[in-house]
Amino acid sequence: MKQIKESELILNPDGSIYHLNLRPEHLANDVIFVGDQDRVEEITKYFDTIEFSTQKREFKTQTGTYKGKRISVVSTGIGPDNIDIVLNELDALVNIDFATRTVKPQLTRLNIVRVGTSGSLQAHIPVDALLMSVAAIGTDNMLRSYHLHNVQQQAMEQAFVKHTNWEITNGMPYAVEADPEMIAKFKSENLFEGITITAGGFYGAQGRELRLKVKDEQLNDKMDAFEFEGVKATNLEMETAAIYGLSKLLGHKAVSLNAIVANRKNGTFSLNPYKTIDNLIQFALNKIIE
């Protein structure tokens, strides 16, 4: 079996993987992703026990139990590039033998739940709502480094490109659907559902203008009006499409849950975003243990 080179699978002197600072025994099979490192403890404060904690750069992990269920909470930082690091390293922890540097014959599947913030593209989805991404469209190009044909939703991609008159020099958007089992598990009358747009940046990539003019000033309005097979584009953020794409490519199951803290259509922002995020955290934890 092919041995992975030291330059490709980088380990720290203590045997932990390079960026996340984790060894295989530190990781649970159920993993919650958060962007903000300070949000890790906003989740684990509800745990019964915490068995392990570490941090390197923006990547903080705590593993413990919630009502008897072992869960790891990992902060990813912001953006698809960080998701590339986090998901590849988590997969390596469970599916590569660090001693032999070879892929294990029996692969392990992780269950990944993103608990993040997002801005609504639709006037009827107000601030402080909760939303589940049933699919995501990435405009960031990161996932195009991999062979996507087995996981991408090409009809959705083509419809999005046509609807937005997308400039292909920006890179071809990619679309990936959420894992159906995870959608069924987390489905609730308390959640809106829709297609999430994942951007590679916060300002120009999401149509925000401070001193710089964006290339397509109508892009947000065009995204607002996008619909595929009866499902609307509902929100804009920076990780979901990358999480869905890499999870499917690596054989893991993922779902993205969003606390809507801004409404881009109405120009409003939550008066108490921390309460909204806490509502989402408690919802996610109780769904994980069902």
Side-chain angles (χ1 to χ4, degrees):
M1 188 172 288
K2 180 182 176 182
Q3 190 175 58
I4 301 170
K5 297 176 182 178
E6 291 184 10
S7 59
E8 312 307 293
L9 174 63
I10 305 171
L11 302 179
N12 297 311
D14 66 353
S16 63
I17 200 157
Y18 184 61
H19 293 93
L20 299 186
N21 217 34
L22 297 173
R23 294 196 302 267
E25 65 268 23
H26 297 149
L27 184 67
N29 273 28
D30 289 276
V31 185
I32 296 174
F33 281 1
V34 294
D36 184 355
Q37 59 198 22
D38 292 336
R39 197 173 298 147
V40 171
E41 291 185 0
E42 291 303 308
I43 296 177
T44 60
K45 70 182 182 183
Y46 292 111
F47 281 17
D48 309 313
T49 62
I50 296 174
E51 66 183 70
F52 177 79
S53 182
T54 190
Q55 181 168 1
K56 184 177 180 182
R57 303 183 188 182
E58 64 265 51
F59 307 113
K60 180 172 183 175
T61 300
Q62 289 191 329
T63 296
T65 57
Y66 176 74
K67 297 184 178 179
K69 183 81 164 181
R70 190 170 186 251
I71 301 171
S72 292
V73 185
V74 180
S75 63
T76 65
I78 300 174
D81 51 342
N82 275 21
I83 297 302
D84 189 46
I85 291 171
V86 172
L87 256 163
N88 274 290
E89 292 197 0
L90 290 181
D91 179 76
L93 285 165
V94 295
N95 288 322
I96 295 174
D97 185 323
F98 285 5
T100 63
R101 293 182 168 272
T102 58
V103 176
K104 295 178 180 178
Q106 297 293 324
L107 299 180
T108 296
R109 185 192 75 195
L110 298 173
N111 300 311
I112 298 165
V113 181
R114 174 187 176 268
V115 173
T117 57
S118 187
S120 172
L121 294 171
Q122 302 294 336
H124 74 280
I125 301 178
V127 295
D128 301 322
L130 306 182
L131 183 143
M132 178 166 61
S133 308
V134 297
I137 298 173
T139 63
D140 55 275
N141 298 321
M142 183 280 290
L143 212 66
R144 292 287 177 188
S145 300
Y146 303 97
H147 294 291
L148 296 181
H149 56 276
N150 288 332
V151 303
Q152 67 191 123
Q153 222 293 7
Q154 292 186 348
M156 188 185 298
E157 293 170 0
Q158 293 163 5
F160 181 79
V161 167
K162 181 179 179 180
H163 175 82
T164 59
N165 193 27
W166 187 263
E167 186 174 325
I168 299 302
T169 57
N170 293 340
M172 181 68 177
Y174 60 91
V176 187
E177 294 176 321
D179 180 82
E181 291 183 16
M182 295 290 271
I183 289 292
K185 180 178 178 67
F186 286 85
K187 196 173 189 68
S188 169
E189 61 183 15
N190 298 320
L191 295 183
F192 287 90
E193 296 182 9
I195 299 169
T196 293
I197 311 296
T198 295
F202 184 77
Y203 288 96
Q206 296 189 35
R208 289 184 173 92
E209 292 186 349
L210 300 183
R211 289 205 312 120
L212 295 176
K213 290 292 183 184
V214 297
K215 186 188 294 184
D216 184 352
E217 294 183 349
Q218 306 304 315
L219 181 58
N220 274 22
D221 289 334
K222 289 185 285 190
M223 289 193 298
D224 293 353
F226 179 69
E227 185 174 320
F228 182 77
E229 296 182 348
V231 183
K232 290 182 178 294
T234 48
N235 62 309
L236 191 58
E237 48 77 85
M238 295 180 62
E239 290 88 32
T240 295
I243 292 170
Y244 283 4
L246 283 173
S247 294
K248 282 200 169 186
L249 286 170
L250 292 165
H252 305 300
K253 294 184 175 294
V255 70
S256 178
L257 306 178
N258 304 269
I260 301 298
V261 297
N263 187 292
R264 299 294 299 279
K265 199 74 171 176
N266 299 330
T268 54
F269 193 84
S270 174
L271 295 177
N272 193 348
Y274 300 106
K275 182 177 187 301
T276 304
I277 294 164
D278 188 62
N279 290 341
L280 181 61
I281 287 168
Q282 294 190 60
F283 171 83
L285 285 171
N286 288 313
K287 281 291 187 179
I288 287 171
I289 64 170
E290 284 185 359

